[in-house]
């Protein structure tokens, strides 16, 4: 029933909403222009409207193209074939490149990358572990992996993102997995992750967010309480010292490590895309006139401990390092340079 709701109700509704927004665009422009002088930021209302229209248009057109591909594949018969899989990766890359190029222009953003990037691994698959602070970081990471580093991502995402119709349709056609951060009885999410991480090719990138969800103060408190409930008092104390990230949940990452023994690990942190979880958050937190930073660290497989407990300690130590890096690398305001 949920599948029917997402595909047959929400997806057409997004297309109709986009059409309605374009038809009524003059009214939206007048309202945004009237608001812009009285809200903080340089023409903030107009620029947020432009990004929203860009996102809705990209979503609606992507849904129509995906429908066309479904028809062309024999009503879904050949969608999982290498040919159509390649087309879907190319389609994602094209849409992300177009969206980011225009969004960066409208918002006057720069994205700086520091540290060794996945291009340094031309003949090896990689496991990418990224901090999670909102949907913005997921899109930015996919954009970087596809466009800058010519990787084909296999991504583990929170199941609530499946309510975005384009993400739902697309990630059910290429290797991906929607995971609940709080699985119910009988749900073996580690086995799902292991299956997804198996058989990586030389240009694949398995992407996982070990925190299990976007950072919020309430989730941070729950993560610390969970560690105490499990009797991990020392880990809870260390988690209390981290103010920008959640304590990592190691199960999925360890399952991916075991399933892809030939893969190196790349850790990713970023600043400037935090706290954008709701429409109100996007209005308040959408970065403008800033330089954002993405930091990449590469860890050769030989440097990763073999013992499970040592691996958990290793991952926790990296998350402490990422927390410190975030404190030291706040976004740069370009408007006052």
């Amino acid at each position: 029933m949920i599948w029917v709701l997402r595909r047959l109700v929400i997806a057409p509704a997004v297309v109709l909403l986009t059409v309605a927004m374009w038809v009524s665009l003059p009214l939206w422009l007048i309202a945004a222009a009237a608001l812009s002088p009285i809200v903080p930021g340089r023409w903030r209302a107009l620029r947020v409207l432009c990004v929203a229209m860009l996102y809705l248009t990209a979503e609606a057109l992507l849904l129509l193209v995906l429908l066309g591909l479904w028809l062309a594949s024999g009503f879904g018969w050949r969608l999982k074939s290498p040919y159509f899989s390649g087309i879907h990766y190319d389609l994602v890359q094209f849409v992300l490149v177009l969206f980011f190029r225009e969004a960066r222009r409208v918002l006057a953003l720069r994205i700086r990358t520091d540290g060794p990037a996945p291009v340094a691994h031309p003949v090896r698959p990689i496991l990418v572990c990224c901090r999670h602070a909102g949907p913005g970081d997921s899109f930015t990471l996919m954009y970087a992996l596809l466009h800058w580093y010519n990787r084909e991502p296999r991504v583990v995402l929170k199941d609530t993102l499946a309510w975005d119709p384009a993400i739902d349709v697309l990630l059910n056609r290429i290797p991906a997995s929607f995971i609940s951060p709080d699985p119910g009885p009988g749900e073996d999410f580690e086995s799902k992750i292991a299956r997804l991480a198996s058989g990586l090719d030389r240009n694949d990138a398995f992407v996982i967010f070990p925190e299990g969800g976007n950072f919020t103060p309430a989730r941070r408190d729950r993560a610390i309480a969970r560690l105490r409930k499990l009797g991990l008092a020392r880990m809870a104390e260390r988690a209390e010292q981290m103010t920008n990230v959640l304590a990592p949940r190691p199960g999925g990452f360890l399952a991916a490590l075991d399933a892809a023994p030939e893969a190196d690990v790349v850790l990713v942190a970023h600043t400037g895309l935090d706290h954008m979880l709701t429409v109100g958050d996007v209005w308040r937190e959408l970065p403008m006139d800033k330089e954002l930073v993405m930091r990449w660290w590469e860890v050769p497989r030989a440097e990763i401990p073999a013992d499970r407990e040592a691996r958990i300690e290793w991952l926790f130590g990296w998350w402490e390092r990422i927390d410190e890096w975030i404190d030291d690398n706040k976004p740069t305001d370009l408007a006052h340079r």
Side-chain angles (χ1 to χ4, degrees):
M1 184 62 186
I2 293 177
W3 178 89
V4 173
L5 175 64
R6 291 201 300 247
R7 302 289 178 86
L8 301 184
V9 177
I10 296 179
V14 168
V15 177
L16 292 175
L17 174 62
T18 305
V19 173
M21 289 286 290
W22 275 105
V23 170
S24 59
L25 185 58
L27 297 178
W28 288 101
L29 289 172
I30 293 171
L35 279 174
S36 288
I38 61 176
V39 298
R42 183 167 59 93
W43 295 103
R44 185 173 191 85
L46 271 174
R47 294 160 85 182
V48 170
L49 175 62
C50 287
V51 173
M53 290 297 301
L54 179 62
Y55 184 84
L56 276 175
T57 303
E59 178 103 354
L61 292 176
L62 184 56
L63 285 168
L64 294 174
V65 172
L66 290 170
L67 175 61
L69 288 173
W70 180 77
L71 295 172
S73 68
F75 300 97
W77 178 53
R78 297 181 59 226
L79 274 179
K80 298 289 186 179
S81 68
Y83 174 75
F84 276 95
S85 179
I87 289 177
H88 281 80
Y89 274 120
D90 290 342
L91 179 61
V92 176
Q93 179 174 345
F94 173 79
V95 171
L96 285 176
V97 168
L98 181 64
F99 176 79
F100 269 84
R101 185 186 68 189
E102 294 305 310
R104 288 166 65 182
R105 182 180 61 83
V106 171
L107 300 176
L109 295 178
R110 296 179 189 170
I111 300 178
R112 189 182 85 239
T113 58
D114 289 342
V119 73
H121 302 256
V123 295
R124 293 179 67 85
I126 53 175
L127 302 180
V128 181
C129 295
C130 185
R131 72 164 295 213
H132 209 358
D137 60 8
S138 304
F139 288 123
T140 304
L141 183 60
M142 295 301 105
Y143 167 77
L145 289 171
L146 282 161
H147 182 52
W148 292 342
Y149 307 126
N150 197 32
R151 291 283 179 168
E152 292 185 350
R154 300 186 186 187
V155 61
V156 178
L157 292 172
K158 191 176 177 182
D159 55 2
T160 52
L161 287 173
W163 288 100
D164 182 301
I167 292 176
D168 175 35
V169 175
L170 188 59
L171 294 191
N172 276 287
R173 297 185 184 181
I174 60 178
S177 185
F178 292 103
I179 299 290
S180 171
D182 298 300
E187 290 187 72
D188 187 359
F189 75 93
E190 291 184 15
S191 294
K192 292 178 67 174
I193 290 174
R195 285 193 297 271
L196 185 62
S198 299
L200 296 178
D201 294 332
R202 57 190 289 175
N203 68 331
D204 283 336
F206 180 87
V207 179
I208 190 167
F209 300 89
E211 292 159 282
N214 303 319
F215 176 88
T216 66
R219 284 190 179 138
R220 176 178 174 271
D221 293 341
R222 288 198 297 269
I224 294 169
R226 178 174 172 271
L227 289 171
R228 294 196 184 281
K229 185 177 179 181
L230 293 172
L232 302 173
R234 177 171 166 271
M235 290 294 189
E237 291 173 2
R238 292 171 66 180
E240 287 177 334
Q241 301 302 313
M242 296 187 288
T243 57
N244 303 294
V245 294
L246 304 178
R249 297 185 175 190
F253 172 70
L254 297 183
L257 274 180
D258 290 337
E262 73 286 1
D264 291 337
V265 173
V266 174
L267 296 112
V268 185
H270 58 80
T271 60
L273 297 169
D274 312 58
H275 313 305
M276 291 191 296
L277 306 179
T278 67
V279 173
D281 293 337
V282 172
W283 172 257
R284 291 188 300 270
E285 304 290 346
L286 190 68
M288 296 181 182
D289 304 300
K290 294 185 182 297
E291 180 180 70
L292 313 182
V293 185
M294 293 188 73
R295 179 65 163 94
W296 306 77
W297 294 270
E298 62 171 296
V299 182
R301 187 56 178 245
E303 297 181 11
I304 298 174
D307 177 72
R308 178 180 176 86
E309 294 304 317
R311 284 180 172 179
I312 294 174
E313 179 69 24
W314 175 90
L315 180 62
F316 222 93
W318 266 106
W319 239 244
E320 290 171 326
R321 181 173 175 178
I322 287 172
D323 181 68
E324 293 175 1
W325 179 88
I326 294 168
D327 273 332
D328 296 337
N329 289 271
K330 301 302 182 184
T332 302
D333 193 339
L334 300 177
H336 298 98
R337 278 189 171 185

